[in-house]
Amino acid sequence: MGSMKSAAGRPLSKVAAEIVERTSRVAHADSRFGRDFSQFIPCFDGAEIAARNVVELPECRAAKRVFITPDNAVAPVRQLLIQGGVDLVVPSYGLHRGFLEVNPVVMPASAVPHSGWLDSIEHYGRSLTLDELAAGGAMDLVIAGAFAVTLQGLRFGMGDFYLDIEWAILRSLGVVTDQTLVIAVVHDAQTTAEDFEPLPTNVTADLIVTPSRTIRTARLAGRGRPSTLDWSIVPPSLMQTGTFEEFRHRSARA
Amino acid sequence: MDHKATVRSEAFAALRNVALPDSRFHFDFGEFIADFQGSAEANQRLIDHRYYKSAEVVFITPDNCLEQLRYRALLDGKTVLTTSYSIKRGFWLLKREDIPEDKRLYASTLDGMERVARPVSLQDIASEIGHVDFLVTGTGAINEEGVRFGKGHGFFDAEWGMLHRMGVISTSTPAAAVVHDCQVLQQTLYPEIFDTVADVVFTPTRTLEVTAPHKPDCGIVWSLLDPHMFETIPPLQELKDLESRGMVATH
């Protein structure tokens, strides 16, 4: 993807480097990885404001069950959703342990105000098999952080393929459809006006929410999203994990 | 692989059966010290021990198996000194009066700690806290004589060395290790000059008291320190600066 050029002819790698530079000024360290931004999507200055913007969206107010990534950028969103009593499905970091469900109703009341971060989700989340994930019902929304996003909703850069994989799994479990709203939450510094052509595996965002604005992307209408998993985007290290074994079995049954 | 690394990898194979994963590192034991089944019992043994009971200020490493202990110590009104993961963002101070009740559990996690606690320099530790009464660490593997096999980075030894050089601990300050039984090995190990040997080892089923454990008084042996640690650990840089300006006693 690094050799791709934008519609205006600018190389993706150059645009990404500019975004790294801008983002590092507003990005927060991770409790484990520090400022090694090649390992995680950071939380940022104003992430609480962006989170507030997300939960005040009409589409979000009605949500009962939300799929949300483990990115630090959306920890404040997870926090507000948990406080709002919304059920969350969160992939484990790196998808090592598949998917976790966070059900605010069964969480100790004292934990609710500070439960959006991964260490808390590790405590209060419950590991889900794919059968259980499917049985839990449809996702009203998908919310993700991103290294960077174009104004057309293409998420790109570090870790972008995880959501693509997760989407394909959710889609084949029948808990998202082509119409399910995908929201990307980023700092303004992570957006770019350059336009890159998405790959067939990319899950583009319908809405981009930053601390200062909410952008409804032009690509929303008509563009299909992947409906099956392209196994070539799955890292080899994940192929033998329980989640992907179960997924293979399910696919073979279907 | 050297001898220490070999026995450590054997212990890790056993640990995999009882360990709890880290929120980032999964089961990659080279990157973190895991929590384990039975850690509540091991920590309870520590809480019942005279070292803990008589301590006002406790240094507790950011190891996952000590998360409950950090929480419990806050509830018990102890002053808790800890570090960020890998000491990359230095030492942090957790005091019950500074942390609202509903944030104490959060404060005991690595994700919450840096959002709730206060960062402190070595000079702050010496001037504001003055003394640390008890130190607690997790570890990859340890023998019955309290010698740790470590995970190859020597963070706890660096912490001991820095606190000792700042004069807030002495060679009579007790240190404890909290581990699963499978992490206690029979191998004989000869401590290095900078190895901080535990006075007591707590497991879910045992309390192992160690007679006359070696406690370093050498501070940081700069010539033996991994340069990467110096580059990434701000308090080590602070200490070197203080030493070069003659602001801490060296011998």
Side-chain angles (χ1 to χ4, degrees):
Chain A
M1 206 166 175
S3 59
M4 273 178 57
K5 287 204 161 92
S6 72
R10 299 200 64 217
L12 185 138
S13 56
K14 200 166 166 66
V15 174
E18 290 166 3
I19 290 170
V20 168
E21 167 68 27
R22 291 201 298 266
T23 306
S24 66
R25 289 183 223 131
V26 295
H28 300 177
D30 179 68
S31 62
R32 314 296 199 277
F33 300 119
R35 298 186 64 80
D36 180 0
F37 299 124
S38 68
Q39 299 293 318
F40 69 105
I41 304 292
C43 193
F44 51 77
D45 295 347
E48 283 78 11
I49 299 168
R52 182 63 61 192
N53 295 343
V54 170
V55 297
E56 285 173 0
L57 291 166
E59 294 91 339
C60 198
R61 279 197 217 136
K64 297 273 176 268
R65 185 168 169 85
V66 169
F67 183 86
I68 185 163
T69 61
D71 303 322
N72 289 357
V74 290
V77 182
R78 292 193 294 263
Q79 180 58 50
L80 291 179
L81 291 174
I82 290 168
Q83 283 176 264
V86 178
D87 275 353
L88 304 183
V89 174
V90 186
S92 57
Y93 172 89
L95 269 175
H96 292 298
R97 262 165 292 122
F99 300 92
L100 301 166
E101 180 179 61
V102 181
N103 181 349
V105 174
V106 300
M107 188 183 286
S110 61
V112 167
H114 310 286
S115 49
W117 286 83
L118 289 191
D119 284 340
S120 303
I121 287 172
E122 207 58 59
H123 283 295
Y124 304 116
R126 182 176 73 94
S127 240
L128 291 178
T129 64
L130 296 182
D131 281 343
E132 289 167 335
L133 206 173
M139 302 296 159
D140 298 317
L141 283 175
V142 170
I143 302 176
F147 166 85
V149 65
T150 69
L151 298 181
Q152 287 72 33
L154 176 67
R155 304 164 64 259
F156 67 96
M158 206 290 292
D160 58 358
F161 59 90
Y162 282 109
L163 183 66
D164 298 341
I165 295 170
E166 290 150 9
W167 174 273
I169 293 174
L170 298 178
R171 185 72 198 269
S172 60
L173 297 180
V175 294
V176 296
T177 71
D178 223 28
Q179 273 67 52
T180 306
L181 200 71
V182 178
I183 304 176
V185 181
V186 292
H187 191 275
D188 295 277
Q190 294 170 294
T191 62
T192 176
E194 299 287 340
D195 185 14
F196 296 96
E197 190 58 34
L199 300 171
T201 51
N202 289 153
V203 177
T204 54
D206 304 306
L207 280 172
I208 302 165
V209 178
T210 79
S212 72
R213 57 187 183 149
T214 296
I215 303 158
R216 288 184 188 261
T217 68
R219 284 252 170 84
L220 175 57
R223 188 186 176 277
R225 294 200 174 104
S227 55
T228 55
L229 179 61
D230 177 344
W231 285 89
S232 72
I233 65 171
V234 180
S237 60
L238 292 180
M239 294 296 273
Q240 303 308 316
T241 60
T243 303
F244 287 89
E245 300 242 319
E246 189 188 354
F247 190 67
R248 263 197 301 273
H249 285 271
R250 284 183 66 102
S251 307
R253 276 204 319 260
Chain B
M1 233 191 306
D2 64 28
H3 177 65
K4 263 194 182 186
T6 307
V7 292
R8 206 166 49 230
S9 67
E10 286 167 11
F12 286 174
L15 184 61
R16 183 66 173 76
N17 300 319
V18 292
L20 307 180
D22 180 67
S23 63
R24 314 294 199 280
F25 298 124
H26 189 45
F27 289 109
D28 184 358
F29 299 140
E31 298 294 339
F32 75 109
I33 303 294
D35 195 5
F36 49 81
Q37 293 167 25
S39 65
E41 287 78 7
N43 281 314
Q44 189 59 51
R45 284 172 176 274
L46 182 146
I47 287 159
D48 293 337
H49 195 277
R50 65 185 184 282
Y51 290 149
Y52 178 83
K53 285 184 176 163
S54 60
E56 201 180 305
V57 183
V58 188
F59 173 80
I60 307 175
T61 60
D63 299 329
N64 288 3
C65 59
L66 302 177
E67 186 188 290
Q68 303 161 71
L69 180 65
R70 293 189 292 273
Y71 179 53
R72 176 61 190 268
L74 269 179
L75 295 187
D76 289 344
K78 312 278 185 194
T79 295
V80 177
L81 184 64
T82 185
T83 70
S84 60
Y85 173 85
S86 297
I87 332 179
K88 270 184 193 157
R89 286 172 304 288
F91 286 89
W92 293 73
L93 184 64
L94 294 89
K95 294 179 89 163
R96 185 166 68 168
E97 58 265 36
D98 297 344
I99 302 173
E101 198 176 336
D102 70 345
K103 284 192 178 173
R104 286 178 195 149
L105 188 59
Y106 181 57
S108 63
T109 67
L110 292 193
D111 278 335
M113 190 254 287
E114 291 180 63
R115 294 179 175 83
V116 174
R118 185 157 65 87
V120 282
S121 67
L122 290 177
Q123 282 194 297
D124 294 338
I125 293 169
S127 63
E128 285 180 39
I129 310 171
H131 61 98
V132 174
D133 309 315
F134 184 30
L135 294 86
V136 186
T137 186
T139 184
I142 194 165
N143 70 10
E144 293 188 344
E145 289 75 47
V147 185
R148 290 168 299 114
F149 291 71
K151 62 172 184 176
H153 294 284
F155 291 120
F156 186 60
D157 296 320
E159 287 149 2
W160 176 277
M162 288 188 278
L163 295 175
H164 190 274
R165 180 60 90 227
M166 295 306 294
V168 298
I169 56 173
S170 73
T171 52
S172 58
T173 306
V178 174
V179 292
H180 191 271
D181 294 280
C182 73
Q183 294 172 291
V184 180
L185 307 178
Q186 306 300 323
Q187 274 86 358
T188 303
L189 278 179
Y190 300 98
E192 311 268 1
I193 176 175
F194 49 75
D195 266 332
T196 309
V197 179
D199 293 79
V200 57
V201 179
F202 298 102
T203 80
T205 63
R206 296 200 289 170
T207 298
L208 301 164
E209 302 268 0
V210 175
T211 311
H214 169 71
K215 293 303 207 11
D217 63 358
C218 57
I220 301 296
V221 185
W222 299 106
S223 60
L224 298 178
L225 182 71
D226 175 358
H228 180 71
M229 284 181 72
F230 184 76
E231 284 154 23
T232 57
I233 298 180
L236 283 173
Q237 297 161 13
E238 182 192 358
L239 182 64
K240 187 144 199 194
D241 178 60
L242 291 173
E243 285 187 5
S244 72
R245 292 193 287 134
M247 292 179 69
V248 285
T250 53
H251 51 79

